[in-house]
Amino acid sequence: MLIDTKTLAQHLDDPSWVVFDCRHDLMDLAKGERLYREGHIPGAHFANLDVDLSGEKNGHNGRHPLPSPAALIAFLARHGVTHQSTVVAYDDVGGQFASRLWWLCRWVGLDKVALLDGGISKWIAEQRALSNVVPRPRVAALSGLANPMMVISAEELLPRLPGTETGRGCVLVDARPAERFRGEVEPIDPVAGHIPGAVNRFYKENLNADLTFKTKDELRQSFADMLGQVPPTQVVQQCGSGVTACANIFAMEYAGLPGSTLYAGSWSEWISDPARPIKLGAEP
């Protein structure tokens, strides 16, 4: 699930490895592609969060709705991905955006998918080569079906919220920074706060200072402290728009705790219906 920089460097000329640059900035939507064109890991393709890794917005499905499986598979196939490929995704923020590509690949049945540990920041710190050459796509044949068990809708989540009779044993984890979770600031969405009953785990709690992932044992203990006896299959992950939540899903699976579900619409979808409950402040 994690590839170090040395291993990736050894496979840059391996046609069975397909690398994606997933850099993005939620406040500067053109920044990711701009950085990519200035310099990226040689051979890497650019994956645009808003274009390639998200579907069409309708005002009620959040800021980054899931792409259709067909559109996602077509995007991957255009860049040479097959079921035999090793797909590696990276960004410059510890996997916040790269984990979305990782999760989407798993969603449509691709198993050989990994994140670059430390991302391009570690690659650059080690003075490894960059390129501004956009690689020519290698179109491949690819098929797959989305796994419906990996996602949950707002309608399915509402009666399962912690504190309700049917929600007992379910833990809803919000990956946003604590100040956004509490509703003290909200730089992106029109309503501040969080879904009642959620617990907050900022995705960067999974990382060391250099944006590499903590050890499996450290992550496993940290999640155990948060979840108690609740099994991973009873965990629902969310964030602002279903992107950063994938980083917590990745961290749990890397720690040997697979099976949590993504609420893909997340906060930005939740607040599109004023009838859904919200909460400000910290949970008790």
Side-chain angles (χ1 to χ4, degrees):
M1 291 180 61
L2 273 180
I3 298 291
D4 60 33
T5 51
K6 180 180 178 181
T7 301
L8 179 58
Q10 293 170 341
H11 287 86
L12 288 184
D13 296 324
D14 187 338
S16 69
W17 283 50
V18 185
V19 183
F20 288 98
D21 185 318
C22 302
R23 283 178 286 180
H24 187 74
D25 189 319
L26 293 172
M27 308 307 291
D28 180 357
L29 303 185
K31 183 178 179 180
E33 186 167 4
R34 185 169 66 247
L35 291 174
Y36 170 79
R37 293 189 177 277
E38 291 174 357
H40 52 264
I41 293 176
H45 305 279
F46 183 65
N48 188 310
L49 174 63
D50 290 322
V51 177
D52 306 313
L53 308 184
S54 300
E56 185 175 348
K57 293 182 285 188
N58 61 21
H60 299 283
N61 58 355
R63 286 183 282 109
H64 295 107
L66 295 180
S68 72
L72 174 65
I73 289 169
F75 164 73
L76 296 170
R78 284 198 305 273
H79 293 87
V81 175
T82 71
H83 283 281
Q84 287 70 48
S85 299
T86 296
V87 177
V88 181
Y90 71 83
D91 57 33
D92 56 358
V93 285
Q96 177 181 3
F97 304 112
S99 61
R100 168 77 165 210
L101 178 60
W102 169 84
W103 186 91
L104 288 171
C105 287
R106 300 291 295 270
W107 181 51
V108 294
L110 296 173
D111 297 322
K112 298 168 65 175
V113 190
L115 299 188
L116 176 64
D117 199 18
I120 196 170
S121 304
K122 190 170 190 293
W123 184 273
I124 292 172
E126 295 170 346
Q127 299 184 329
R128 298 185 184 273
L130 295 176
S131 173
N132 59 11
V133 177
V134 177
R136 182 177 302 172
R138 304 188 308 269
V139 180
L142 182 66
S143 62
L145 295 174
N147 182 354
M149 302 303 293
M150 291 174 61
V151 293
I152 186 172
S153 68
E155 292 72 26
E156 293 168 325
L157 176 61
L158 184 58
R160 293 184 57 193
L161 288 179
T164 65
E165 182 176 352
T166 55
R168 284 181 294 187
C170 171
V171 176
L172 177 63
V173 180
D174 189 323
R176 294 176 300 165
E179 60 272 20
R180 283 189 69 196
F181 175 82
R182 294 190 297 264
E184 296 164 3
V185 298
E186 183 44 70
I188 304 175
D189 293 309
V191 178
H194 63 268
I195 300 173
V199 296
N200 184 217
R201 182 186 173 81
F202 185 32
Y203 87 97
K204 283 195 173 180
E205 293 180 32
N206 303 318
L207 306 172
N208 298 306
D210 64 354
L211 300 182
T212 58
F213 275 82
K214 294 178 179 178
T215 68
K216 294 181 180 181
D217 287 343
E218 289 174 315
L219 291 170
R220 188 181 300 112
Q221 184 60 56
S222 179
F223 280 110
D225 292 342
M226 179 181 69
L227 300 176
Q229 299 301 309
V230 178
T233 52
Q234 293 285 327
V235 175
V236 176
Q237 307 272 6
Q238 54 104 174
C239 54
S241 63
V243 175
T244 309
C246 296
N248 275 343
I249 295 176
F250 177 92
M252 283 190 64
E253 185 156 331
Y254 179 64
L257 302 168
S260 59
T261 305
L262 176 67
Y263 171 35
S266 286
W267 180 247
S268 57
E269 177 188 67
W270 187 263
I271 59 174
S272 68
D273 183 348
R276 296 183 185 128
I278 64 171
K279 182 172 181 179
L280 295 172
E283 289 289 330

